[in-house]
């Protein structure tokens, strides 16, 4: 008997090129390479890639990244959450009301805000799975409800829509530095002493590095990306997320708890939005009723650029992170390249259209549709 192994004709062979084309991260990788190449050519001498420039676009990218992780997992599960932006504004305002107006300890204000927002996320998910209504409609309603409360509550209690004093209230708190602190300050001071990064040369800050540490916002972003990637690719729950978004009814037939998966993803999306909000109020030292505007759309665009299908069941957290990185680099890079900043919105529209076209082509490759 011959040792030759014959290929089974029933097994569809996929070429290496086809495997590469159907990777969800492809669009994000191509976009990242293109964006960095462009700004290396046209903005290299502007300071965009020195320590302070890198930190500027890294912080902006991290903001997008935090909410993109939650939006990505939810979209793969087959749902949308349009209330993310309003959740950011609402969460920040609740922290200010609890800590400043009511005088609670900052740690208590943060924890109760997380609880309230995650319960709002659970309510969104419960309504969607119990009624069968599109998540687009349910969370659109939540968007207006939360934004209305974000404006009404501070006006009722403080007669204004911006509440300050958060940075002072957070001094000495044990939980606040986890969201508003910095790490590796000693390493940056050492790099400044070695002349590797710029330091201040006059005044009280003489000798101090211009970049004095890595903000916790970036740490949270990287941590959430790592968590989301492991959850999605290395756990049974990750398989359930793909199954719930790909074909919910078929998933139920094989024992996947679709309702629990979807509700959990709504809760996680609210958690990510609240992390963003807490980091933001700690950075600015205040909460405003207009915070978070349009963030829900920016998160969805980052996820789509990262390769997720709008129909659910396909996507990548790494791709979403790359989409967020593209956002941050372009938003800050236009300033360094002396390009009119309003063109950022033009870029968003163009890149979204291109990403949807690419994703549609990928879906057809996967399903064999014409």
């Amino acid at each position: 008997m011959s040792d030759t192994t014959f290929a089974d004709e029933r097994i569809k062979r996929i070429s290496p090129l086809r495997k590469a084309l159907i990777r969800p991260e492809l669009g994000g990788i191509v976009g990242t390479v293109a964006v960095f190449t462009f700004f290396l050519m046209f903005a290299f001498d502007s300071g965009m890639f020195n320590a302070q420039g890198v930190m500027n676009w890294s912080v902006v990218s991290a903001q997008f990244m935090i909410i993109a992780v939650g939006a990505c997992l939810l979209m793969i599960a087959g749902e949308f959450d349009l209330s993310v932006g309003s959740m950011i504004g609402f969460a920040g305002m609740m922290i200010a009301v609890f800590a400043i107006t009511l005088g609670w300890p900052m740690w208590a204000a943060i924890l109760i805000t997380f609880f309230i927002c995650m319960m709002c996320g659970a309510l969104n998910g419960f309504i969607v799975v119990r009624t069968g209504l599109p998540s687009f409609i349910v969370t659109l309603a939540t968007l207006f409800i939360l934004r209305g409360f974000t404006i009404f509550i501070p006006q009722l209690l403080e007669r204004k829509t911006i509440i300050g004093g958060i940075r002072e209230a957070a001094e000495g708190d044990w939980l606040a530095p986890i969201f508003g602190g910095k790490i590796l300050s000693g390493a940056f001071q050492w790099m400044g002493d070695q002349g590797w990064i710029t330091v201040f040369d006059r005044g009280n800050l003489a000798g101090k590095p211009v970049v004095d540490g890595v903000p916790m916002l970036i740490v949270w972003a990287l941590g959430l990306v790592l968590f989301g990637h492991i959850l999605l690719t290395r756990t049974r729950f990750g398989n359930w997320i793909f199954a719930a978004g790909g074909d919910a009814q078929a998933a139920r037939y094989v024992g996947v708890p679709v309702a629990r998966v979807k509700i959990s993803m709504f809760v996680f999306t609210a958690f990510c939005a609240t992390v963003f909000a807490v980091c933001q109020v700690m950075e600015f030292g205040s909460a405003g009723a207009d915070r978070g505007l349009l963030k829900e759309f920016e998160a969805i665009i980052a996820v789509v650029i990262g390769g997720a299908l709008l129909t659910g069941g396909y996507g990548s957290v790494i791709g979403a992170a790359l989409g967020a990185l593209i956002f941050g680099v372009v938003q800050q890079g236009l300033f360094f390249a002396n390009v009119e900043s309003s063109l950022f919105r033009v870029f968003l529209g163009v890149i979204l259209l291109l990403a949807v076209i690419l994703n549609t082509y990928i879906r057809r490759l996967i399903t064999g549709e014409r």
Side-chain angles (χ1 to χ4, degrees):
M1 182 176 177
S2 173
D3 292 332
T4 304
T5 302
F6 295 97
D8 190 332
E9 294 179 354
R10 295 170 298 177
I11 299 176
K12 186 176 182 180
R13 299 295 178 181
I14 302 178
S15 68
L17 177 60
R18 185 183 176 92
K19 286 182 179 179
L21 287 175
I22 64 176
R23 290 294 303 172
E25 301 91 351
L26 176 64
I29 293 172
V30 172
T32 301
V33 171
V35 164
F36 272 95
T37 300
F38 175 84
F39 286 113
L40 282 169
M41 292 173 59
F42 296 101
F44 183 78
D45 296 328
S46 64
M48 181 176 176
F49 294 98
N50 62 24
Q52 189 171 13
V54 170
M55 187 60 66
N56 286 341
W57 53 257
S58 294
V59 167
V60 176
S61 297
Q63 293 175 349
F64 291 125
M65 212 172 285
I66 288 173
I67 53 177
V69 172
C72 177
L73 294 178
L74 183 60
M75 283 179 61
I76 294 173
E79 306 295 345
F80 293 92
D81 190 346
L82 296 184
S83 66
V84 168
S86 294
M87 186 79 72
I88 291 170
F90 176 76
M93 189 58 69
M94 288 302 94
I95 291 172
V97 167
F98 291 140
I100 306 303
T101 304
L102 301 182
W104 292 11
M106 184 58 68
W107 64 266
I110 293 173
L111 291 180
I112 193 64
T113 297
F114 266 105
F115 176 78
I116 292 172
C117 291
M118 291 169 71
M119 287 303 99
C120 288
L123 181 61
N124 278 338
F126 180 79
I127 294 173
V128 169
V129 300
R130 292 291 292 179
T131 65
L133 290 171
S135 55
F136 179 91
I137 298 300
V138 173
T139 58
L140 182 62
T142 308
L143 178 155
F144 286 108
I145 293 170
L146 291 178
R147 186 62 68 182
F149 277 129
T150 305
I151 297 172
F152 172 74
I153 292 174
Q155 284 185 330
L156 177 67
L157 298 176
E158 297 278 358
R159 296 292 187 268
K160 55 187 178 182
T161 57
I162 298 177
I163 299 178
I166 292 178
R167 189 175 290 113
E168 292 75 14
E171 290 182 2
D173 189 84
W174 64 270
L175 185 59
I178 296 177
F179 299 92
K182 293 183 178 181
I183 63 171
L184 302 179
S185 296
F188 279 86
Q189 181 64 61
W190 180 82
M191 286 188 286
D193 294 339
Q194 300 301 313
W196 295 355
I197 60 176
T198 305
V199 298
F200 293 102
D201 58 0
R202 63 185 64 184
N204 295 332
L205 296 177
K208 297 291 184 181
V210 174
V211 178
D212 60 352
V214 178
M216 287 303 298
L217 177 76
I218 295 178
V219 177
W220 272 103
L222 297 177
L224 287 171
V225 169
L226 180 62
F227 170 80
H229 177 68
I230 293 174
L231 176 69
L232 197 61
T233 62
R234 297 288 186 268
T235 68
R236 182 175 63 172
F237 194 85
N239 292 332
W240 288 354
I241 294 173
F242 281 113
D247 190 331
Q249 193 57 49
R252 292 187 184 96
Y253 288 151
V254 297
V256 175
V258 173
R260 177 153 61 93
V261 169
K262 290 179 180 286
I263 293 174
S264 297
M265 291 302 95
F266 275 105
V267 172
F268 182 67
T269 302
F271 173 83
C272 292
T274 309
V275 169
F276 181 106
V278 180
C279 292
Q280 188 180 64
V281 297
M282 292 301 165
E283 177 186 1
F284 293 138
S286 64
D290 61 342
R291 300 276 170 81
L293 286 174
L294 300 179
K295 290 300 180 185
E296 58 275 1
F297 297 108
E298 293 171 350
I300 291 173
I301 293 172
V303 176
V304 172
I305 294 173
L309 295 179
L310 297 174
T311 52
Y314 184 83
S316 163
V317 172
I318 299 299
L322 291 174
L325 178 62
I326 291 171
F327 268 22
V329 171
V330 171
Q331 182 170 321
Q332 295 297 302
L334 292 177
F335 169 78
F336 284 106
N338 293 318
V339 177
E340 175 57 44
S341 60
S342 60
L343 291 177
F344 176 62
R345 299 297 172 187
V346 177
F347 166 80
L348 290 187
V350 172
I351 200 69
L352 176 61
L353 181 60
L354 293 176
V356 170
I357 292 173
L358 178 61
N359 290 349
T360 300
Y361 174 70
I362 292 173
R363 178 176 59 81
R364 289 174 179 172
L365 280 178
I366 297 170
T367 62
E369 296 178 4
R370 293 186 180 275

